[in-house]
Amino acid sequence: MLPPEIQHAPGVRLDHVGVAVRSLEEAVAFYRDILGFAPRPPETADGATIIAMAAGGVDLELLSSADPGSPIGKYVARHGPGIHHLCFRVPDLDLALRRCRDAGYRLINEAPRPGADGRRVAFLHPKATAGILIELSD
Amino acid sequence: MLPPEIQHAPGVRLDHVGVAVRSLEEAVAFYRDILGFAPRPPETADGATIIAMAAGGVDLELLSSADPGSPIGKYVARHGPGIHHLCFRVPDLDLALRRCRDAGYRLINEAPRPGADGRRVAFLHPKATAGILIELSD
């Protein structure tokens, strides 16, 4: 039985899939030339260069970093390239984080921090969620 | 410059994200009770039990297998739980596979095989796509 406030929570949805790559050029060539996606111009965040593309209802984000101390640089050095995180938009970020804490899920960000597009984000620890780094956003 | 036939390819989009988990019960508890998703009844395919849920424009599929010889069983034994694959729907699966072969991308399925819902699917090798197992579907 769900708590009443999320019985019919509207709008929880996958926002984007973040993919860590070594070479943006090679990765873009695959998603653009083979699959037919239309990559947008590069952006930067958290020391990474990001090339995003609309993939239906969600975005695919290719992330690369030349800085070995950045989150993406560390990830690729440790795990190699691969799917880095899933970002879910939730109707009420503060409520979702409180519910995580109450249920004992480990958080990377105890409080929301500024993300892209003026939205607030917070990351959950992958140990809490079956090995998946999850970003929540409002 | 894109080949003319994919200049304006409509409809290429992410269909679902497949997440390999050890415990469906624990994973469902997180996505249902914390994030507010509505899981559908379990299905089975390729020796795995699948619980899918609509996540906006795409599905999230939780995959678990008690059979250590199944694809998901082998994956979890080798890598632990985590994001297992991305499935993209393409407008023309045969064309996409031909383009992969022509460009030297390694395929797991040289020809499409039957997938869920009467659709045809083919997997690309993760070595070809920066460590990501990609399923293409028509």
Side-chain angles (χ1 to χ4, degrees):
Chain A
M1 194 62 186
L2 298 185
E5 71 273 24
I6 59 165
Q7 288 274 343
H8 303 285
V12 55
R13 63 176 184 83
L14 185 63
D15 180 78
H16 65 262
V17 178
V19 174
V21 303
R22 286 211 173 85
S23 160
L24 278 174
E25 197 180 345
E26 273 180 31
V28 163
F30 174 74
Y31 290 99
R32 183 192 57 202
D33 301 344
I34 303 294
L35 295 189
F37 285 114
R40 297 200 286 267
E43 303 166 80
T44 55
D46 287 341
T49 304
I50 304 170
I51 292 184
M53 55 201 86
V58 301
D59 272 5
L60 192 67
E61 289 190 357
L62 305 176
L63 311 154
S64 184
S65 181
D67 173 5
S70 71
I72 293 297
K74 280 190 216 168
Y75 179 87
V76 170
R78 199 171 302 165
H79 303 283
I83 302 168
H84 178 258
H85 70 275
L86 299 181
C87 175
F88 295 104
R89 286 185 85 155
V90 292
D92 185 331
L93 180 58
D94 300 292
L95 175 65
L97 292 179
R98 194 166 70 239
R99 200 178 300 131
C100 285
R101 270 192 300 269
D102 290 350
Y105 291 97
R106 191 168 152 197
L107 305 176
I108 291 178
N109 304 114
E110 287 290 330
R113 65 178 180 83
D117 305 327
R119 293 193 266 146
R120 300 179 310 149
V121 302
F123 282 86
L124 311 188
H125 197 282
K127 287 219 170 112
T129 51
I132 300 174
L133 179 61
I134 287 181
E135 179 182 17
L136 299 180
S137 166
D138 60 8
Chain B
M1 193 63 186
L2 297 184
E5 72 272 24
I6 59 165
Q7 288 273 343
H8 303 285
V12 54
R13 63 176 185 82
L14 185 64
D15 181 78
H16 65 262
V17 177
V19 174
V21 303
R22 285 211 173 85
S23 160
L24 278 174
E25 196 179 346
E26 274 181 31
V28 163
F30 174 74
Y31 290 100
R32 183 191 57 203
D33 302 344
I34 303 293
L35 295 188
F37 285 114
R40 297 199 286 267
E43 303 165 79
T44 54
D46 289 340
T49 303
I50 304 171
I51 292 184
M53 56 202 85
V58 301
D59 271 5
L60 192 67
E61 288 190 358
L62 306 176
L63 311 154
S64 184
S65 181
D67 173 5
S70 71
I72 293 298
K74 280 189 216 168
Y75 180 89
V76 170
R78 200 171 301 167
H79 303 284
I83 302 168
H84 178 257
H85 70 275
L86 299 181
C87 175
F88 295 104
R89 287 186 84 155
V90 292
D92 185 331
L93 181 58
D94 299 292
L95 175 65
L97 292 179
R98 195 165 68 240
R99 200 179 297 132
C100 285
R101 270 192 300 269
D102 290 351
Y105 290 98
R106 190 167 153 197
L107 305 176
I108 291 177
N109 304 115
E110 287 290 330
R113 65 178 181 82
D117 305 326
R119 292 193 267 145
R120 302 178 309 149
V121 302
F123 282 88
L124 312 188
H125 197 282
K127 288 220 170 111
T129 52
I132 300 174
L133 178 61
I134 288 181
E135 179 182 17
L136 298 181
S137 165
D138 61 6

